[in-house]
Amino acid sequence: MDTQAEPARSQVQGTASFGKFMVVLQAIADAPGKLDIARLAKLLPYPRGTLYRIVTALLAEGLIAESLDNGTYQLGHRLIHLASKSWETSDLRSVAREHIEALRNATEETVHLAVPSGDGMVYIDKLESPRTVGMMSRIGMRVEMHSTSVGKAYLAALPAEQCRALIERLAMQPRTRNTITDADALNADIQKTRARGYSYDNEENESDIRCFGGVILDRSGRPVGAVSLSIPLYRYDEARAGIFIEKVRDTVKAISASLATIL
């Protein structure tokens, strides 16, 4: 008997169970509001009883929440609160703050900072317009790649093959009547985004809200996040669009340059 192996085994006791919890949690995080127990059972290789116990425990701890409408799950308030504590001290959020503040102050429009999360994006910072805007977004909110300027900016910065593979995985559910829901159409839009150097959300995620987006790159040129500028339709002025686009471009370039000195 190898006596030296015993301490190692005791140190990782419970790892298998913890791993199952994390797999379930990740599945829900990647498809918020889309999975119930039945869909989880089809997606994951665990017995229904095991899934039920894991989900019950995650609900009890506030790590996930259940929709009263259809029994699907999404990340819970406790997990979002814990994540926000990390975001508050993250290098990207800290580095970007002064630059997105400058963007918000110069345009007087709402600015979002987002990072990739699974097949979507998560807002890790939001600066409100000093003028009233009725937007649904909030820090910690997960949004789709295909319908947002932050998502499309991120997609456009990926290597072409990786981008196409990710697009093929997206559900691309409609958010508004303008949402792109076809893979070929989204690929064409991403090609335009690459060519012009910014992304555009034409009321695709929220009705009456248009957004310009830009990608943040690390020192090796890999996309690590994105910034968006959101303008309500009632005060959208085509004559100022060029100014907004340049300010978004300048902002993400400045953040990327600052990030390169620490990452």
Side-chain angles (χ1 to χ4, degrees):
M1 179 177 179
D2 186 358
T3 57
Q4 291 183 343
E6 280 301 313
R9 283 199 293 268
S10 64
Q11 286 171 9
V12 296
Q13 187 174 6
T15 298
S17 296
F18 179 75
K20 292 177 182 178
F21 272 74
M22 292 305 299
V23 168
V24 173
L25 192 60
Q26 186 66 60
I28 292 169
D30 288 343
K34 298 177 182 177
L35 300 175
D36 55 14
I37 283 288
R39 294 188 183 98
L40 280 170
K42 291 180 180 179
L43 181 66
L44 302 177
Y46 305 140
R48 198 182 185 98
T50 299
L51 281 173
Y52 183 80
R53 288 192 295 273
I54 292 173
V55 166
T56 299
L58 291 173
L59 285 168
E61 293 297 329
L63 297 177
I64 62 172
E66 183 177 8
S67 170
L68 297 178
D69 296 329
N70 56 18
T72 60
Y73 305 106
Q74 60 186 4
L75 296 183
H77 63 87
R78 185 178 180 190
L79 189 62
I80 293 172
H81 175 72
L82 291 171
S84 70
K85 294 298 183 183
S86 173
W87 296 332
E88 287 172 1
T89 57
S90 72
D91 289 333
L92 178 56
R93 191 174 189 271
S94 299
V95 167
R97 193 32 119 81
E98 66 175 298
H99 301 292
I100 63 173
E101 282 182 347
L103 178 61
R104 189 272 311 274
N105 294 342
T107 62
E108 295 192 327
E109 301 295 355
T110 298
V111 178
H112 294 93
L113 175 67
V115 294
S117 174
D119 290 345
M121 303 288 286
V122 171
Y123 292 136
I124 63 171
D125 209 349
K126 176 185 180 182
L127 298 179
E128 298 275 5
S129 166
R131 299 183 281 180
T132 303
V133 183
M135 293 190 68
M136 297 185 294
S137 59
R138 65 185 184 277
I139 295 175
M141 183 177 184
R142 186 183 183 278
V143 294
E144 305 295 336
M145 292 271 188
H146 71 290
S147 61
T148 60
S149 61
V150 289
K152 291 196 283 186
Y154 177 80
L155 284 170
L158 292 172
E161 286 300 321
Q162 186 178 346
C163 176
R164 280 193 289 270
L166 178 50
I167 287 175
E168 289 299 324
R169 295 201 305 268
L170 300 179
M172 288 193 285
Q173 297 296 322
R175 297 277 303 168
T176 72
R177 63 183 181 181
N178 288 356
T179 306
I180 297 172
T181 58
D182 175 76
D184 289 339
L186 183 56
N187 272 305
D189 189 78
I190 295 304
Q191 289 179 15
K192 291 179 182 178
T193 298
R194 288 195 189 102
R196 67 193 176 203
Y198 68 90
S199 59
Y200 182 46
D201 161 10
N202 182 24
E203 300 179 70
E204 296 164 48
N205 196 60
E206 285 189 49
S207 296
D208 301 320
I209 300 290
R210 293 178 176 175
C211 305
F212 297 109
V215 69
I216 300 168
L217 305 174
D218 66 12
R219 69 169 70 187
S220 64
R222 294 175 300 187
V224 293
V227 168
S228 69
L229 183 69
S230 302
I231 308 104
L233 186 60
Y234 73 87
R235 63 169 180 257
Y236 182 88
D237 181 0
E238 196 66 45
R240 298 191 66 201
I243 297 172
F244 287 164
I245 291 165
E246 285 308 308
K247 290 191 178 299
V248 170
R249 281 172 164 168
D250 290 344
T251 298
V252 293
K253 285 179 182 177
I255 296 171
S256 299
S258 298
L259 202 61
T261 65
I262 61 172
L263 291 184

